[in-house]
Amino acid sequence: MKTKTILSTFILLLAVSGSLFATTRYVSLSGSNTAPYTSLATAANTFQTAIGASTAGDLILVDDGTYILSSKISLTIGVTIRSINGSSAAIVDGNNATKCFEINHADALVDGFTIKNGKNLSGFGGGVNITYAGTVQNCFITNNQARDGGGIALDYGGLAQNCIVTNNTSQYGGGIRCLNSGTTVRNCLVLNNTTTNLGGGINTWNGGDIYNCTIAHNTSPVGNGAGIRTRGAGHVYNSIIYENYNTSGILENWDVDGSTHSYTNVCTVPLAPNGSNNITADPSFVSITPGSEDYHLQAGSPCINTGQNAGWMATVADLDGNSRIQDGVVDMGTYESAPAPVDTDGDGVADVDDDYPNDADRAFDNFEPASGYSTLGFEDLWPGMGDYDFNDLVCDYRFQTVTNASNKVVEIFGTFVIKAFGASMHNGFGFQFANDNVSQAHLDVSGYHLEAGSYISLESNGLESGQAKPTIIVFDNAFHLMQYPGSGTGVNTVKSAPYVTPETVNIYIEFTSPIYSIAQVAIAQFNPFMIADLDRDVEIHLPDYPPTTLADQTLFGTGKDDSNPLIGRYYKTANNLPWAIKITESFAYPKEEVQIVAAYNHFVEWAESNGVLFTTWYEDIDDNRNDSNIY
């Protein structure tokens, strides 16, 4: 059964408990049983021992374990008994020999236990009996037996709240018996209890106020109220009484006797008598399948926002521990539903989760990298080694992929920040999609920077012509974007030369048919490349990234290049040194004509190990960097 209960989240910090309670005492099966029982180490071994040492206003905290009783626990003073770790951890077992708790004091509270196997066949309460006053809350009460109130019996007073009461039996009130006025049950889930006489789930006799309970799958003899039976001044509010059957298998959710009872804002079948605002609709529980019941309300349930508000709801949570009123009006039943999420654009994504709450065609932003920028650095003399400073083009990048409510790609914004180029050659830059999953006819590209008469040829949709996979040229000549400052080599690689503000190119890729997932597009695995000195035949890619259709593959294996297309080896020397690098953060690149190995001490080990060793070689940690050689 998928029901939930509050696991006594009222656990107190010991430093605070002293200010709220007179004295804190402990019960533990492993305690030394040494008075005054003020630590776990010296804890009493039984509840009654700790109660006997306590005075009004004390707190008794109970350690995990199963406490098997030979006699009832009697609580007649104003103390709180609370489990440390909730009802699943602290178990009170009547051993089918005795009732478990008998409570009689207005300030007495039992909080957060499993209470089971209590037995009191000649009297009130198998699990809990409250006489005149006291409270039981946050408890799981199961498999108890009594003459009156198999699980809980309340007499002339007492409060049971936020409990699950299940599989208990009695003659009167299989789950709960309320006798006389002043008895109250709130936020309780009453399930699968049985009576041999009156009230399978709950029986009220001359009193009893039932608030926001869910009463289901209980059983009684024919005509005696399998769900609830109210006699005299019993009152039921905001409750759901559903799928309770008598022993002949006939639906019998309620039975009444007398005329002073009332049902207000109750969902049951047939319509509840002698009251107002009652309904007979299906409450729309999440599940009523035996073995997997879940009595939370589905969205659209007629029991949502149809209860009657009351003052106690400001301080008492529902059975999940959520605020009792979520959307202005309380729900019927044990669990309060959160307000329906606002979805302004109607795309099925709540505004709180929607990056575009007013646009039904867009829903989510996805960034690569997730934050900040990554950097690409290139050498432009491939297949020769050059000066190996990786600053012939230094470009930061970030992609923003926008998807719709179905997580299909709508558009991609690519931001490319050209920081430096320490080259006399006029180099271009582009990138290719990692695969051919996306039809080039479904793309429309803009934002690229190409000069008139460029050596680049584009299709009408902005993609490069003659490519097997979607290919986008970001710019054809870095010198047309950042003006040479008049001294030094290139731009922003020589400290003595004037600094030039980096230039940003914003590429916009529209998916005219939003049918592709992020995984299909795989923009995070994009294939960036530099075009050397306006020669479209000469591309320089990251190591082991393949060339585009337009590259001259006869250059492979010449100079220092050790590429072998047959095995997918590209753009590496014989000892795995690359001509391009990708750094997962903004990269501090070397000065002009300073080899990267002089700026970064572990670059060679990283490269030669195919990226296995010194994976953080570029970070400013340990002995990674020689700052004097970095621009």
Side-chain angles (χ1 to χ4, degrees), residues 4-6 136-139 159-165 176 184-190 202 209-215 237-239 312-325 330-336:
K4 297 180 182 178
T5 188
I6 304 171
V136 58
Q137 67 183 22
N138 304 320
C139 289
L159 169 65
Q161 65 183 6
N162 298 82
C163 292
I164 296 176
V165 182
I176 301 174
T184 303
V185 180
R186 298 192 297 220
N187 290 335
C188 286
L189 190 57
V190 184
I202 298 177
D209 294 324
I210 313 300
Y211 293 93
N212 287 93
C213 288
T214 298
I215 305 168
Y237 305 89
N238 304 337
S239 293
W312 63 266
M313 298 171 186
T315 56
V316 178
D318 76 349
L319 194 59
D320 277 338
N322 298 319
S323 296
R324 186 66 261 197
I325 301 175
V330 72
D331 297 346
M332 296 180 184
T334 307
Y335 299 106
E336 194 75 12

Side-chain angles (χ1 to χ4, degrees), residues 65 149 225 275 279 359 368 396 429 469:
I279 62 175
D359 186 343
E368 169 56 36
D396 284 358
F429 171 75
K469 301 174 186 176

Side-chain angles (χ1 to χ4, degrees), residues 483-517:
Q483 187 174 359
Y484 175 62
S487 63
T489 301
V491 176
N492 292 346
T493 61
V494 177
K495 284 286 190 179
S496 60
Y499 180 75
V500 179
T501 301
E503 184 69 26
T504 299
V505 179
N506 295 303
I507 296 295
Y508 176 67
I509 308 170
E510 178 185 4
F511 285 69
T512 57
S513 293
I515 60 175
Y516 304 102
S517 67

